[in-house]
C-alpha cells in the first residue's frame, strides 16, 4: 500500500470516527464507547495493547496483525475523542524520521521514557 493510500485509509477512518461523536450511543460500537467517556476508551487501548503483547509473545503473525489493527483502531478513537487526528501523529513521526532515537530522547528531556 502506498503512502497516499495509507493516509487515505487513515483519513477515511478518522472521518467516520469523527461522525460517530454525534451519533446515538446505541447506533454503533464507537458511539457507545464515546458515550462512556475517556476512561472507557483508555481501558480499551490498554486491553488492546496487552493483547498485542500477548500475540507477539505467541509468535503468530496473523494474530499480531489482528491485534495491532485493534490497537491502532482504539488509538484512533482516542485521538478523535481528544480532538486530534492521525495526520498529527504522522507529522510527528515524519519530524522524527532520520533523527537518532537517542538524540530525540535527549531533546525531549527523557520525560517520556
Amino acid at each position: 500500500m502506498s503512502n497516499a493510500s495509507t493516509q487515505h485509509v487513515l483519513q477515511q477512518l478518522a472521518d467516520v470516527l469523527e461522525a460517530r461523536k454525534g451519533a446515538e450511543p446505541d447506533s454503533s460500537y464507537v458511539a457507545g464507547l464515546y458515550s462512556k467517556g475517556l476512561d472507557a476508551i483508555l481501558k480499551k487501548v490498554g486491553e488492546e495493547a496487552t493483547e498485542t503483547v500477548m500475540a507477539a509473545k505467541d509468535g503468530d503473525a496473523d494474530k499480531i496483525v489482528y491485534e495491532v489493527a485493534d490497537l491502532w483502531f482504539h488509538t484512533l478513537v482516542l485521538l478523535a475523542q481528544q480532538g486530534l487526528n492521525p495526520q498529527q501523529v504522522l507529522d510527528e513521526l515524519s519530524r522524527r524520521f532520520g533523527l537518532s532515537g537517542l538524540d530525540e530522547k535527549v531533546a525531549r528531556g527523557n520525560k517520556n521514557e
Side-chain angles (χ1 to χ4, degrees):
M1 185 177 277
S2 73
N3 187 33
S5 295
T6 300
Q7 287 180 316
H8 181 69
V9 168
L10 286 173
Q11 189 55 55
Q12 282 183 308
L13 185 51
D15 292 345
V16 169
L17 295 176
E18 191 63 32
R20 295 288 193 269
K21 283 182 174 181
E24 290 297 320
D26 61 353
S27 68
S28 78
Y29 169 76
V30 171
L33 197 51
Y34 284 143
S35 75
K36 293 175 186 173
L38 179 61
D39 286 347
I41 295 168
L42 294 174
K43 182 178 177 184
K44 284 304 297 180
V45 170
E47 288 172 8
E48 298 305 340
T50 299
E51 290 172 6
T52 299
V53 169
M54 291 168 46
K57 291 289 277 182
D58 290 344
D60 180 336
D62 290 339
K63 192 172 177 183
I64 293 167
V65 169
Y66 182 88
E67 295 302 343
V68 169
D70 280 351
L71 177 58
W72 285 12
F73 176 82
H74 287 89
T75 302
L76 290 169
V77 171
L78 172 63
L79 286 173
Q81 192 271 345
Q82 294 290 303
L84 302 168
N85 63 63
Q87 188 58 53
Q88 290 171 275
V89 177
L90 293 173
D91 291 347
E92 176 60 17
L93 289 171
S94 179
R95 183 192 68 78
R96 294 180 189 186
F97 195 80
L99 178 65
S100 159
L102 296 175
D103 290 342
E104 195 276 333
K105 190 173 182 180
V106 167
R108 61 183 154 94
N110 297 331
K111 51 186 166 183
N112 293 325
E113 290 189 63

